[in-house]
Amino acid sequence: MPRPTAPEPASTIFVSIAAYRDPELLPTLQNCLETAANPQDLRFCIAWQHSPEDSWDVLDDYRSDPRFQIIDIPCQESKGVCWARHEIQKRYGNEAYYLQLDSHHRFSPNWDDTIKDYLHYLQATGHRKPLLSAYLPPYHPENDPQGREIDVYGQKSERFLPQGVIFLNSHHVQGWKEMQAPFRSRFLSAHFIFTTGKFVQEAPYDPDLYFHGEETSLAARAYTHGYDLFCPHRPVIWHEYVRKGKTKHWDDCADWGLKNDRSYARYRELFGMESPARSDQEKAPDHRFGLGTARSLAEYERYAGIRFKTRQIHKETIDGDLPPVKSDFHTGLTNTVKVCIDVLKDALPESDYDFFAVAVLNEAGEDHYREDCAETEIRSLFRADADDRFIHIWRTYNHTERPHATRVWPHSKSKGWMDKIDQVIPYE
């Protein structure tokens, strides 16, 4: 990649890390500092959501370090990851750059100079407000650095969740080794954002979001505030994905479901998918957490290949093509529906099932889509995860209307047709 000729700006980086009972927090901080070309320029702010039961994330070694701000949050007082990131951003001190991470990462040598070079190059080539973000390649704590994957990932989407939120997938980017510079992206990743520090002031985190919807709403807000979205074309930082057995916020929070439902409603309102009625006591969402005015939502939709109100996604977005959409926007939109039917194993006590009638229903109780399970698939569903209390039946199809409910009607060789298992899809 050619080096930019633009003058070097001030060098400080505000590093946002939301950590929730994470044994990888200390190794992440150590590796981040050891590999940085200019560790003196890093300004960390950590939302330290911790429990007295844990001993692995004690931050005593950093409390007297002037580069660190530590927000001490007992885990039972946490309101979720978006709330934590919002609390961090309140401590932003006009640093030149903003770097958002999770608390489980590894870094390449001189990673800070590398991502600054990428950003400067984009600025020098006409992008006034570039933003770098990606689903980073994985590392594995038990096998590091040998287990780091050397690859570059892009982001795509093939479906909306029933609650109206776009579900994102990662995909391998073909030909990344031949790329000379960062490439355009239609979405962003919450575990890696690097841009100018002004982003914190222009598109601050919405504390009322909970989890799903965080990334696509922030991508649209960034784009409508004038930010151009890019993925790094080389692996620079790695992220831990599996985290099996590690405590998440929803494991500790009894009312996480209520927070999640409110978050879904906030997302749908942001994108004009609904206009909820409010009492005089209820406040409208803070305008600071809305869309920007530099570009319209319609411009983002055409760029990204999405139509929020009708829950349609363009074929190029589903295929993971680089944005913007190059073919006709309207004819390329599809109505892909992907439904996961979760059935408690306790509701399926027999050992000789040979057939499941599986249907997605409309509001009248009629088949919206039907694709049954034969005996081979049934066996596979029960073998998938012996420790899981559920079996998970996935169905993907095209339809212009939203599904209302699902039905699984099991048949046993010895007992014949059993009770139907009907479940309404939770949109709200």
Side-chain angles (χ1 to χ4, degrees):
M1 186 183 74
R3 291 188 65 85
T5 57
E8 187 75 14
S11 56
T12 52
I13 302 175
F14 182 82
V15 185
S16 164
I17 297 179
Y20 191 87
R21 302 186 63 182
D22 190 356
E24 277 293 289
L25 173 58
L26 291 181
T28 293
L29 294 177
Q30 181 179 359
N31 188 252
C32 181
L33 289 165
E34 288 177 347
T35 55
N38 300 287
Q40 73 280 359
D41 291 337
L42 304 180
R43 302 291 183 269
F44 293 88
C45 187
I46 303 170
W48 183 46
Q49 301 156 92
H50 59 94
S51 168
E53 298 175 14
D54 307 329
S55 60
W56 52 65
D57 61 348
V58 176
L59 294 173
D60 292 350
D61 289 346
Y62 298 102
R63 290 187 181 280
S64 60
D65 190 324
R67 295 172 297 179
F68 281 78
Q69 297 183 74
I70 299 170
I71 310 172
D72 193 322
I73 306 169
C75 64
Q76 66 271 18
E77 297 178 14
S78 171
K79 299 177 184 178
V81 64
C82 294
W83 170 83
R85 298 198 205 278
H86 175 77
E87 290 298 307
I88 290 170
Q89 288 184 341
K90 289 180 181 179
R91 278 77 172 176
Y92 169 67
N94 294 315
E95 287 81 4
Y97 304 97
Y98 175 70
L99 174 62
Q100 180 171 298
L101 300 169
D102 283 346
S103 51
H104 29 274
H105 288 280
R106 294 293 183 271
F107 304 80
S108 62
N110 304 320
W111 61 268
D112 49 338
D113 276 354
T114 300
I115 58 175
K116 284 181 185 179
D117 280 352
Y118 292 171
L119 204 72
H120 297 167
Y121 173 79
L122 293 168
Q123 290 171 325
T125 52
H127 302 281
R128 189 170 65 87
K129 296 165 70 173
L131 183 152
L132 291 165
S133 187
Y135 282 161
L136 300 173
Y139 80 97
H140 306 282
E142 67 282 358
N143 183 30
D144 186 71
Q146 292 79 12
R148 297 182 190 182
E149 187 171 321
I150 307 301
D151 209 341
V152 169
Y153 289 88
Q155 292 172 287
K156 64 178 182 177
S157 179
E158 61 183 20
R159 63 189 171 101
F160 281 82
L161 294 177
Q163 296 85 356
V165 173
I166 292 175
F167 186 83
L168 296 182
N169 301 100
S170 63
H171 67 98
H172 295 275
V173 175
Q174 300 298 319
W176 63 267
K177 292 181 180 179
E178 286 72 48
M179 292 181 175
Q180 299 300 309
F183 56 93
R184 285 189 178 273
S185 175
R186 51 177 53 86
F187 303 117
L188 57 75
S189 159
H191 71 239
F192 171 68
I193 295 172
F194 184 68
T195 185
T196 58
K198 291 182 180 179
F199 180 75
V200 175
Q201 300 164 329
E202 294 183 326
Y205 247 78
D206 185 345
D208 291 329
L209 291 180
Y210 186 69
F211 186 69
H212 283 305
E214 171 188 7
E215 295 175 327
T216 48
S217 63
L218 191 58
R221 292 180 58 219
Y223 191 86
T224 57
H225 277 89
Y227 286 84
D228 295 330
L229 310 179
F230 289 89
C231 284
H233 61 301
R234 295 289 183 270
V236 181
I237 304 174
W238 287 262
H239 179 258
E240 184 192 6
Y241 287 92
V242 178
R243 310 194 68 240
K244 189 173 183 179
K246 295 177 182 177
T247 307
K248 317 298 191 299
H249 181 267
W250 48 84
D251 296 321
D252 290 336
C253 182
D255 67 343
W256 77 268
L258 178 61
K259 295 182 191 299
N260 207 32
D261 290 344
R262 289 173 176 167
S263 177
Y264 285 140
R266 173 73 189 102
Y267 182 99
R268 294 191 296 268
E269 183 174 5
L270 176 70
F271 290 114
M273 302 165 86
E274 67 178 37
S275 299
R278 290 191 178 85
S279 67
D280 293 339
Q281 289 75 34
E282 291 179 304
K283 293 182 180 179
D286 194 316
H287 68 90
R288 293 177 301 157
F289 311 127
L291 299 169
T293 57
R295 297 174 177 133
S296 67
L297 176 59
E299 287 178 288
Y300 176 69
E301 289 180 320
R302 285 181 174 271
Y303 170 82
I306 301 163
R307 181 178 279 164
F308 286 96
K309 201 151 195 174
T310 56
R311 306 188 187 207
Q312 292 175 294
I313 300 176
H314 198 278
K315 185 178 183 301
E316 292 183 22
T317 304
I318 294 171
D319 292 341
D321 297 346
L322 296 183
V325 169
K326 298 167 185 64
S327 59
D328 183 76
F329 177 72
H330 297 284
T331 59
L333 292 170
T334 66
N335 291 90
T336 299
V337 180
K338 191 169 184 178
V339 176
C340 183
I341 306 171
D342 300 320
V343 183
L344 266 172
K345 290 178 181 176
D346 289 348
L348 299 165
E350 305 305 323
S351 59
D352 62 346
Y353 294 109
D354 60 351
F355 186 81
F356 288 173
V358 179
V360 184
L361 310 177
N362 61 21
E363 290 194 58
E366 303 164 335
D367 285 1
H368 183 90
Y369 175 77
R370 179 166 172 177
E371 183 182 343
D372 299 327
C373 289
E375 190 170 358
T376 301
E377 183 180 1
I378 294 170
R379 290 176 181 170
S380 176
L381 290 169
F382 278 94
R383 286 197 306 264
D385 189 343
D387 296 328
D388 198 332
R389 296 172 56 228
F390 294 84
I391 64 167
H392 308 283
I393 305 171
W394 286 93
R395 292 295 181 257
T396 303
Y397 59 98
N398 288 308
H399 206 288
T400 57
E401 297 178 2
R402 289 194 298 175
H404 175 70
T406 61
R407 172 171 293 159
V408 176
W409 192 2
H411 184 272
S412 160
K413 291 178 183 179
S414 60
K415 296 186 178 180
W417 291 104
M418 311 297 289
D419 291 339
K420 297 174 183 176
I421 303 170
D422 289 359
Q423 301 179 82
V424 174
I425 295 173
Y427 285 99
E428 305 302 331

